[in-house]
Every structure is written in structure tokens, then in C-alpha cells.
Amino acid sequence: MGGLYSEYLNPEKVLEHYNYTKETLDMQETSSRKVASAFIILLCCAIVVENLLVLIAVARNSKFHSAMYLFLGNLAASDLLAGVAFVANTLLSGPVTLSLTPLQWFAREGSAFITLSASVFSLLAIAIERHVAIAKVKLYGSDKSCRMLMLIGASWLMSLILGGLPILGWNCLDHLEACSTVLPLYAKHYVLFVVTIFSVILLAIVALYVRIYCVVRSSHADVAGPQTLALLKTVTIVLGVFIICWLPAFSILLLDFTCPVRACPVLYKAHYFFAFATLNSLLNPVIYTWCSRDLRREVLRPLQCWRRGRGVTGRRGGTPGHRLLPLRSSSSLERGLHMPTSPTFLEGNTVV
């Protein structure tokens, strides 16, 4: 492989890049750093558990095997893997960083980039599905399962490509002056490329939800009342959490691109911004399950069974109060648009 790739196993390269981009190499395992690492790991464990519960709920109940729920399951899977990747990233940070080879460093950072970008692509896929359902676009047809799987597969393929570009050669191993301060082995232009991609995705999601809002407003007069407010509530939560969680990380990466080396001390605190962005993976399952009474009931079922003990499991089907109720056409948006009952629409508020 020669040249660039021969440096991937050089244990001195990471130290060289960190010495160039950092003013001081404060890698000591202090008590405050241990507390922060423990908190992040606990946070990621919560991400894994809640997204695992969503995956179990979607997989075990055939009522959740429709387009919306499959995309929701894909979002939960990407968020779950994001939690796992961030745990690994945390454990391999600090003093361990300088003992890594470039290949190991790329694997550490690339896994986090892949899973976090997969979460963003999943949010985009859900926005597309909501637009398709509400605007009555005949996108799926008879081969809808194949098309849904292709969309999910494409989101993961794009995530793998996006996160794998540095290990494929788009890095700064031979060009120290082109290195990022936040991610010392990544090229600044790659960082700018990633920020641009995520910004475009954010704009696309906003445009799709604006389109959904316009369709609702232009349908019938009765939709412009409580029904519209219910839709706006969900959309505001989804977009608000997305922007709040990701905007600081985008900002620090843009600053990284524009700042000369060692000129912006705030870049040395970038790990706090990325940790804050991970909250998106924690909050996504809360948002979507809270807006669906049936999914929330199914997600909480394992916890309720655990609390009641083995005696409950002996009764076939459990108590009537814990059975999954059929999805009724009680969605405010569904009534407003006079759409036929579909498993794509959830009881209570419509999930977007």
C-alpha cells in the first residue's frame, strides 16, 4: 500500500499531530476527568437501553411493521450504536489517545461519525415518510418493503462513506498545516465537508416539515385549529431538539475550519460540544414514543413485567390493561385530512 497508508500503523504519528495542534498535552487522568467520563458512560448506557426497548417493541409487534415504524426502528438502531460508539470513544480518550496508532484513531473517531450521521439520515428518512404520508404521494406501491429497505440501506451506506473517508485517504497525515485542531488527524476540508452535509440535511428536514405544515393548512378549515397545533407541537419538538443538540457542534467545527492552528482556545473544549450533540440520541426515543400512546405502552411493557415479577409472566397475554390496543383513527391530523386509517398514523398525536 506504501506512502500514506504505511503511516497508519506508526505509533508516533498521533503524538506528532497532537503536539502540532495543541498548546499543551494535558492528558492526565484527573478526578474531574474521571467524573466526566463516568457521567458520559452512564448517559450512553441510558441511550442504549431506551433505544433497545424501542427496537424490541417494534420487532415483537406486527402492528409496528409499517413504513413509519420501520424508519423509527432504524433511527433507534442508529442511536443505540451511537451510544455504544461514544462509550468506546470515551474509554479510548485521555491518556490512551497518545498510545493509539493512526488506524486505531481513525476507527475510534470514524465509528462515532458513522453512527451519529446515521441518526441524522434516519431523521431525514422519517421526515420524507411523513411528507409522503400526509401529502398522499404514491411513493411505495406494491414493492414498498423493497423501497423502504433500499432507503434504510442507502442511509447506512452514506453514513459509512461519510465516516470512512478519512481512513480511505482524506486525512492530513502528510500535511500538518492542513490538520483540524479538534480532530488532529482529520483534514480541515473534510471537517467543512461534513458540516456542509449536515447543514444541507437540516435544511431539507426543515423544508419537508414546512411543506407538511402547508398541506395541513390548505386542507380544511377545521384542521387549522387544535389539529394544526398538535402537528406544530410535534414538529417544534423534533426540529428544536435537533437544532439545539447539533448547532453547537456545527459551530465549533466551522470555527475549527476558519481558525489558524492554536489561535482559538475554545477548540480545546470541543469534546463538550460533541457530548451535548449525543443528547439527540437520548431524546429521540423519548419524543417519538411520547407522541404515540400505543408505542409507549409497548415500550414500557418489559419494564412493567419486570416490576410485577415472574407471577405475571405465567398468565398468558398478561392483564387486559397491558395489552396493545388497536390503532384507532383518533389522530387529530388523520381526522382533519379525512384520511383512511393507516398504521402509519399513530394514536394521539401524529408522529413526524
Side-chain angles (χ1 to χ4, degrees), residues 128-165:
I128 294 173
E129 197 280 336
R130 286 292 80 201
H131 177 263
V132 167
I134 293 175
K136 300 182 182 180
V137 180
K138 301 298 183 181
L139 177 65
Y140 297 120
S142 59
D143 57 344
K144 62 179 181 179
S145 297
C146 179
R147 296 195 182 191
M148 285 188 296
L149 292 176
M150 287 179 62
L151 183 57
I152 291 173
S155 68
W156 280 101
L157 179 61
M158 293 174 64
S159 300
L160 287 170
I161 294 174
L162 189 63
L165 286 175

Side-chain angles (χ1 to χ4, degrees), residues 66-78:
S66 59
M68 179 62 204
Y69 290 108
L70 288 179
F71 290 132
L72 179 61
N74 184 57
L75 172 62
S78 59

Side-chain angles (χ1 to χ4, degrees), residues 24-136:
T24 59
L25 288 180
D26 183 16
M27 295 292 183
Q28 293 182 353
E29 195 69 26
T30 62
S31 58
S32 60
R33 179 170 294 185
K34 289 180 180 179
V35 171
S37 297
F39 175 77
I40 292 174
I41 291 175
L42 287 175
L43 180 68
C44 292
C45 288
I47 291 173
V48 171
V49 169
E50 66 177 15
N51 282 286
L52 182 61
L53 289 174
V54 172
L55 282 174
I56 293 174
V58 172
R60 69 184 293 179
N61 197 308
S62 59
K63 290 184 180 293
F64 297 145
H65 294 173
S66 59
M68 179 62 204
Y69 290 108
L70 288 179
F71 290 132
L72 179 61
N74 184 57
L75 172 62
S78 59
D79 285 336
L80 186 152
L81 292 176
V84 173
F86 210 73
V87 167
N89 192 291
T90 302
L91 294 176
L92 294 175
S93 297
V96 182
T97 299
L98 300 182
S99 64
L100 299 176
T101 64
L103 182 62
Q104 293 169 330
W105 191 93
F106 286 138
R108 185 190 77 176
E109 300 299 335
S111 62
F113 265 67
I114 289 170
T115 54
L116 289 175
S117 60
S119 297
V120 177
F121 284 122
S122 297
L123 287 172
L124 177 61
I126 290 175
I128 294 173
E129 197 280 336
R130 286 292 80 201
H131 177 263
V132 167
I134 293 175
K136 300 182 182 180

Side-chain angles (χ1 to χ4, degrees), residues 305-323:
C305 292
W306 177 77
R307 289 179 58 186
R308 290 177 177 272
R310 296 182 179 180
V312 176
T313 59
R315 287 181 288 176
R316 186 171 301 178
T319 61
H322 294 284
R323 291 179 182 174

